[in-house]
Amino acid sequence: MKTGAKILVESLQREGTEIIFGYPGGVVLPIYDELYDSSLRHILVRHEQAAAHAADGYARASGRVGVCLATSGPGACNLVTGIATAYMDSIPMVALTGQVPTSLLGNDAFQESDITGITMPITKHNYLVKETADLSRVVKEAFYIAGTGRPGPVLIDIPKDVSTTSVKDVPVPEKVELRGYNPTYHGHKRQIEKALNLIAAAERPVIYAGGGVILSNASAELLSVATQMGIPITTTLMGLGAVPGDHPLNLGMLGMHGTEYANFAITECDLLFAIGVRFDDRVTGRTETFAANAKIIHIDVDPAEIGKNKRVDIPIVGDVKSVLTDMLTCMKKTAGHEAWIKKIRHWKQHHPLKCPDDGRLHPQFVIRQLSELLDGNGVIVSEVGQNQMWTAQHYCFKHPRTWITSGGLGTMGYGLPAAMGAHFARPDVPVFDVAGDGSIQMNIQEFGTIAAEKIPVKIAILNNQYLGMVRQWQELFYDRRYSFTELPAVDFVKIAHAYGIEGIRVESPDEVKPALQAAIDCPGPFVLDFRVEREENVFPMVPAGAAINEMIGGHPR
Amino acid sequence: MKPHTLSVLVENKAGVLSRVTGLFSRRGFNIESLAVGPCEIPGMSRITIMVIADDNKIEQIMKQLNKLIDVIKVSDLTDNERVERELALIKVTAEQGSSRAEIMQVATIFRASIVDVSPKSLILQVIGDSDKIDALETLLRQYGVKEFVRTGTIGILRGSKTVAPGK
Ligand SMILES: Cc1ncc(C[n+]2csc(CCOP(=O)(O)OP(=O)(O)O)c2C)c(N)n1
Ligand SMILES: [Mg+2]
């Protein structure tokens, strides 16, 4: 006989879980008691939202399923933003929540909330387990659903009596069989052939690659396709790192804060090869003008993404890696599109991203210095706002899964906890959270976690004393009326010290490199408070609803 | 925008109906009618949903329905030869006398049956497509409809084609 709590912990270990991020409470006491002398590592966070983001950061950096745990009611509700963040970016995660005993379900019992109801639209699937005997099967299914097809978070709600009840050991099924869940992995042969013919006939092709490439671990295949056929690549925010930032065919990011050359290339291409992307409005700008003269090929594992926002000529439903591998086997080498590549090279030369050099401390400069120092050997996590966009623009990502950011939901407060999770996936490299002064204060309590657990995350705060991205919109579109976007100066070094974390303030450009080096050299966590130019803007920028080649803050054409 | 009849085969589990309807409400669609019940496959249920929307919106919603783990199969019956039926119960004010006789005549024309008789009212049961039921209810309104209940439309393809798991 085994209790539900024991079955749960054993099931997690059977799925290969090595670490869970959580926070205890009344109805999860039986589970915590089981964790007390388990070999499963548990990290106590300071807020459940951080547990969800940490599990998500771990998943993104490792490619495995992240796990978080919270108590019922307030604990479960605190996970919600983290679950929604993972859902929007298709991150594999299993969220475990305690629930009031089955006899009290629906009674408005103490700390009861209908978390399966609340998370229905933000999970790939969720379970309310009513029988202890179902637990091992449910855990197995949850991991399977979270990690296969288009990945996503799965929540398991476990009433207290389900954890305490003992049942005879139930055999766990070898394979998961779900009648309603059969993701398509292999692309249709004929569609792949048609796509190859279209690519061969194109004069101005562009690859538009996104988070799907990273999720499917298809970076190598993507680069082979691009180089063998001579096709320039632009990536979405989520796709950064899929191809090396300094590769000659790489055009960087496209969209609202994309490079001018990427957006020009999209506008002028005659073939758009979309891979693991979802034509998000931050990417496309006005959809009618996005790649308006191009035929479109779209690979995605989720059929619902194909044709959702833009009509597609050749849809290919399948796993990106599998489809690109099939393409590579039947691909004939085509012309190198010399004229097109030359034109793009010209744009690249005449429309580079700008980094002011006037002796003052500019945030772009901080990112470039960090990029130089790490040279691809680190994991960069970001918060949300200008800090995120400057990092996306100016850091040269060289490997997949080294760029971790909340793309779809844009969750401020994501960075620090996600960086904690990323550290456990990549303890071999420095992990930086590039933060804004606003965002960092949304989960600043996690200074407590990194101090207590000695998690050597480096926090680089681009402190502009503004909710900078919102201020930028107010400057540009609301006549500089800075309504509730100014933040009084905070001495983040003092806060760090209060938690026993080292830190320094940086106020001039020449201090940047030594400060970053000090952070890297420090064996523990480190806080860098960069007092940057306060009213710096992220440019170029496509105003909301404009065509993506109508950028402001770029170079004259 | 036109009415669509969707047939959705689902696992018969707690919460399935709210997963399915949630996809509609999230997109601001009003479900015109909905009928659920067990079907020929043990452990599964069939839901018939009528909704008014653009074809491309319907395509998106069908794809989203297909993504639900508990949904086995989704079909749009709209452009196919099909049989659609709905059952309604109508409680009509019917005092003794001429109106009662008239109501019984109307019932005969609509092939509705009288399933309950009381001194002041009658209950009519009618089966048909939703237009027929609407027409009967409109006709009866002059006598005073006290209560009107309908099951929601159910639909099935004509011929040997089925909405069943697999292709
Ligand atoms: C939780 C949350 N609330 C509000 C927003 C809206 N928002 C987007 S960027 C931003 C400002 C972020 O300020 P800061 O972290 O200081 O970054 P900066 O833009 O100054 O680099 C805000 C408020 C958000 N994305 N997330
Ligand atoms: Mg700021």
Side-chain angles (χ1 to χ4, degrees), chain B residues 95-113:
Chain B
E95 304 282 343
Q96 300 296 338
S98 63
S99 71
R100 181 169 284 237
E102 277 175 41
I103 290 167
M104 289 168 69
Q105 257 177 5
V106 171
T108 316
I109 297 166
F110 277 81
R111 290 209 235 154
S113 36

Side-chain angles (χ1 to χ4, degrees), chain A residues 246 365-382 391 394-399 401-404 419 426-434 456-460 512-522 526 528 530:
Chain A
D246 50 3
F365 175 75
V366 175
I367 303 299
R368 289 190 177 195
Q369 293 284 290
L370 179 63
S371 186
E372 242 174 62
L373 268 179
L374 291 179
D375 192 26
N377 298 308
V379 175
I380 305 298
V381 186
S382 85
T391 312
H394 295 277
Y395 189 94
C396 181
F397 294 98
K398 297 199 172 158
H399 309 286
R401 300 192 183 279
T402 58
W403 166 235
I404 294 179
R426 292 298 308 275
D428 55 317
V429 291
V431 178
F432 270 81
D433 172 33
V434 177
V457 164
K458 320 297 174 188
I459 302 152
V512 172
K513 209 161 220 168
L516 288 168
Q517 192 62 55
I520 294 169
D521 294 341
C522 173
F526 204 93
L528 295 153
F530 291 102

Side-chain angles (χ1 to χ4, degrees), chain A residues 87 120-121 123-127 137 141 145 150 178-181 302-308, chain B residues 11-15 18-19 26 41-44 59-60 63-64 66-72:
Chain A
Y87 184 71
M120 209 171 264
T123 49
K124 188 170 170 185
H125 193 55
N126 62 23
Y127 294 88
R137 175 186 54 82
E141 285 180 10
I145 292 169
R150 178 180 182 169
L178 294 161
R179 295 188 282 197
Y181 181 65
D302 180 0
E305 286 304 339
I306 296 182
K308 186 175 83 174
Chain B
E11 297 281 357
N12 184 1
K13 285 187 186 161
S18 59
R19 286 182 205 278
R26 217 188 308 164
I41 307 161
M44 290 192 196
E59 186 189 329
Q60 180 59 213
K63 286 175 169 177
Q64 295 295 342
N66 262 315
K67 282 169 67 172
L68 294 176
I69 309 291
D70 289 337
V71 167
I72 315 285

